[in-house]
Every structure is written in structure tokens, then in C-alpha cells.
Amino acid sequence: MSIRRTCRWLAAPLAGVLVLAACGGDDDDDASGTEAPAGTDAPAGSAAAGDVDLSADCPATVVLQTDWNPEAEHGWIYNMIGEGYTIDKDGVRVTGPLMAGDVDTGVDLEVRSGGPAIGFQTVTSQMYTDDSILIGYVYTDEAIQNSAEFPTVAMMSGMEKNPQMIMWDPATYPDVEDIADLGEEGIKIRYFSSAAYMDYFREEGIVSSDQLDASYDGTPGNFVAAQGKDAQQGFGSAEPYIYEHEVEDWMKPVSYTYINDNGWNNYAESIATRPENIETYRACFEKLIPIIQQSAVDYIADPQSTNDLILEAVETFDNGWVYTQGVADYAVETMKADGLIGNGPDDTIGNFDLDRVNELIAIAIPTYTSLGQPPKDGLTAEDVVTNEFIDDSISLP
């Protein structure tokens, strides 16, 4: 995770060894009881009211574990929370009616924050230690990594393109365009030690060991102190704005390249569950996944009321996470412009390209094996993702 400004972290779900520990925070009496602002509900989605009653098929409260604090990259999830929500400061979670557009589905949605709220553990670990978590964000590489011992199946690709990137100072390195260029120039790259993609780039000879610095602590201090000499990981939908407009000792543009565009083609923030839940909650997922698909479309079209909720939650949690309206606005525009949230190659939002997943599996297996975390023998895309519950008719315009 990366601290944006001096107290801001960036989600890095590419964990090393999976750590099982108690999940962060039980329900308590410190809920704020805050009501949603007028206009929180997005326009109704494609499903008719009779198709979105979840009360007979889903848990009374659908619990979703995210990988980080509230931010616009999670807006398509918070967009489903209706009026009368509560913000639980101690539990670091938001709970309210689960809405399909302007239709109440008859159940609640509880969105739990990740990152510092769960001791920087993976979402996978949380799902395996707390049975109340029905769904959570699992990046495809994380699912591959843990497939042997802690399998998960993703039912919707939350983000078509992983926001993770490497950034550098364009004034210092005007000719650098990608990670291969950083490798050729021998530029130091600062990153979190758990980032498996960097092990892949090293093993492929794209970068060398002597230029990698795995001591990144999330703060901007070292990047600023290097005065443009070093590169650093981040989110393309956040850090470029933050460093140009909010890091007082920098306040100038950075250039960046996405991990996905450099060979580690990963789906991000996918909606996943434990394999046994596929059968147990099949009727639930048949209705819920299309609702989430439509919520993503609705959020991108009209994000402001949901971003108001996100900003309110950040302020209420008051846990060191700094998030501003400017960052939220930039994130939405970048997610659209850079295709972070977008349709797949067949113009459907949220579905998986199985060939793309198999290609990632092929390059990830030797990487994780070298790290002492070999994936499941004979692993294929169908083991970690499914398009069973996707509504092919739902897409971004």
C-alpha cells in the first residue's frame, strides 16, 4: 500500500506468503448512523424489480471485503449502498440497503475496508478466517498464487486493467516510456517487497536485481528526496494527481506505465468467493453479479453522490487515510480514459477473457514457484475465474 501525501497508502494486493489471522474489527456501538445525501441512488439498472429481490437467496447482509480504504476505485461497490447507511468508525466499514439502481433488493450490503483495517493482510486470508465474508476483492495473480491451499473463484472482473504502475520524473528521464526503458537505464525502482510482478520482470531480465529497492514504505519522502533520480510504484488513477497537486515538496507531473502494459496482464479488484460458495449461493450470485455490473456502469456515468459517501466515510474513519475531492475526480476520469474500468473485448463489462487469464497463469507459475509458493498443479483459468453469472447485455456505452 502506498501513503499518498504523508499519510496515504496505495493498495498492493500482490501479497507474499498468505497470513491467516483474526479479521479486523467486530461490530460495535460506534456506528455513526449517518444518512446518505440526497441523490445517492443511481439510475435503475437493466434488471426489473422482480429480478433483484435477493432476500430469499442471499445472506441478510452481504459482506464484501475490500483491499483498501474507501476510494473512487471502489466507487462501483459503494454506489450500491442506499439511504439510511451507517458508517462504523471502529469497524472501518459502511453498511446500508443493497440497491439495484433505485430498487431495494431486500438485503443489506456491508463494505469492509482493507489495508490497515485488516493489518495489511490479503482479502483471501480474510475470507478464509471469517465465514461471514461472502465476497471480496481478489486480483487474478493473488488467486493464482493461493490456488493450491486457499483457492478463490472470481465472478466479475471489477477492473479490466490493474491500476498499479511504475512512475518516474519526465524531466529527468524524458526518453523513458516503459519498464524496459527503466531497466536499460539502470534506474532505481522503489516498490513493496510483496509485489510478485517485480520478481517476474527481474526473472525475465527486464530489470536487474541491483536496481530494485524493495524498501518502499508508501510515503513520498524517498521519491522527493531523490529529486527525480528514482522510479516508484503507485496507482495510475491516484499518484499522478497527488504528486502534482498535493505533495508540497514535489508539485509537478510524473510519467508512468501500467504493469498490465508491460507483460503482467492482471485483472484487479475482481469479485471473488470461496469455491464452495459457488454452489451454496448460486441463486444469489445469479442476481447479485449483474447488479454489480450495472452499478459499475451507473457509477462511471454519475459518480458524485457516491464519492460524497466515500469522502464522508474517510473523514469518519479518521485513520490516517487522506483522500480529497480532487483525487476522486481524477480517479474517475483516469479510470475511464485509461480503460481501468471498461468493457472486455466482447463489449461486456466485468467478464473474463479466459485466454488472457491462462497467459497470466503461464508466466506466474514459475514466478510464484521460485518464491516458494507453487500454484495448484494443472491450474487453468476455469479454476480461478468464471463467467457463469455475467449478464452479457450490460456494458459501458
Side-chain angles (χ1 to χ4, degrees):
M1 312 292 166
S2 82
I3 299 176
R4 299 170 184 169
R5 299 183 70 178
T6 57
C7 295
R8 210 282 197 199
W9 306 274
L10 170 66
L14 303 175
V17 177
L18 182 74
V19 178
L20 293 179
C23 61
D26 295 323
D27 290 338
D28 53 45
D29 295 328
D30 194 26
S32 72
T34 306
E35 291 189 359
T40 293
D41 297 332
S46 62
D51 298 325
V52 297
D53 183 353
L54 305 181
S55 60
D57 302 307
C58 296
T61 299
V62 173
V63 177
L64 186 151
Q65 178 66 62
T66 71
D67 59 351
W68 197 240
N69 285 294
E71 55 187 349
E73 289 85 350
H74 301 175
W76 46 286
I77 292 299
Y78 286 97
N79 187 67
M80 294 186 293
I81 296 179
E83 293 184 1
Y85 60 78
T86 59
I87 301 176
D88 180 351
K89 175 179 172 66
D90 289 345
V92 202
R93 63 192 65 174
V94 181
T95 306
L98 197 163
M99 306 296 292
D102 59 2
V103 179
D104 192 326
T105 65
V107 303
D108 287 340
L109 175 63
E110 179 178 291
V111 181
R112 297 184 182 179
S113 297
I118 57 174
F120 301 97
Q121 297 176 73
T122 64
V123 173
T124 301
S125 71
Q126 292 300 107
M127 290 198 289
Y128 270 89
T129 54
D130 186 347
D131 289 338
S132 72
I133 301 172
L134 179 63
I135 51 179
Y137 287 171
V138 178
Y139 288 50
T140 306
D141 54 3
E142 181 183 332
I144 294 168
Q145 176 187 20
N146 296 312
S147 57
E149 295 186 68
F150 305 101
T152 56
V153 178
M155 300 170 287
M156 175 187 165
S157 63
M159 303 189 84
E160 182 72 14
K161 186 173 183 175
N162 186 353
Q164 286 180 312
M165 55 77 165
I166 303 297
M167 66 183 193
W168 62 90
D169 177 20
T172 303
Y173 302 111
D175 297 328
V176 168
E177 296 182 355
D178 55 25
I179 293 176
D181 290 340
L182 293 172
E184 290 179 3
E185 295 287 341
I187 300 166
K188 178 186 288 188
I189 304 174
R190 192 172 294 104
Y191 70 103
F192 282 108
S193 61
S194 60
Y197 60 79
M198 200 61 75
D199 294 287
Y200 165 73
F201 294 137
R202 183 183 62 239
E203 291 181 3
E204 291 294 305
I206 297 171
V207 297
S208 59
S209 297
D210 59 3
Q211 70 180 115
L212 297 182
D213 180 354
S215 66
Y216 182 48
D217 63 0
T219 65
N222 287 331
F223 185 87
V224 173
Q227 299 182 5
K229 294 181 179 179
D230 300 346
Q232 185 171 284
Q233 77 169 70
F235 258 25
S237 50
E239 266 77 2
Y241 176 90
I242 291 163
Y243 274 70
E244 183 173 358
H245 300 284
E246 297 185 357
V247 176
E248 293 182 359
D249 293 330
W250 187 258
M251 303 296 283
K252 54 186 177 180
V254 297
S255 293
Y256 62 96
T257 182
Y258 287 108
I259 303 303
N260 276 41
D261 294 335
N262 288 266
W264 192 261
N265 200 6
N266 193 21
Y267 286 106
E269 296 182 359
S270 298
I271 299 298
T273 192
R274 291 169 60 164
E276 60 267 28
N277 288 335
I278 296 290
E279 186 60 38
T280 303
Y281 292 103
R282 175 168 272 110
C284 173
F285 294 142
E286 286 173 350
K287 297 177 181 179
L288 177 60
I289 297 304
I291 291 172
I292 301 175
Q293 288 179 268
Q294 186 63 45
S295 181
V297 174
D298 294 341
Y299 172 71
I300 289 297
D302 185 13
Q304 187 55 59
S305 59
T306 298
N307 286 346
D308 289 343
L309 167 57
I310 289 170
L311 292 166
E312 181 185 0
V314 169
E315 182 179 1
T316 302
F317 294 157
D318 190 25
N319 63 355
W321 172 247
V322 177
Y323 204 70
T324 67
Q325 183 69 61
V327 182
D329 292 342
Y330 176 83
V332 173
E333 290 305 312
T334 304
M335 285 189 287
K336 291 191 293 185
D338 290 3
L340 306 184
I341 291 182
N343 300 326
D346 58 356
D347 295 328
T348 298
I349 190 170
N351 62 344
F352 294 96
D353 181 334
L354 299 186
D355 289 339
R356 171 179 161 182
V357 175
N358 279 323
E359 289 170 1
L360 182 60
I361 288 172
I363 65 172
I365 285 177
T367 298
Y368 286 125
T369 300
S370 70
L371 296 173
Q373 303 162 42
K376 172 187 173 183
D377 288 342
L379 187 71
T380 66
E382 289 82 355
D383 293 316
V384 293
V385 302
T386 180
N387 289 321
E388 175 183 354
F389 306 107
I390 291 291
D391 184 336
D392 294 336
S393 70
I394 301 176
S395 64
L396 287 169

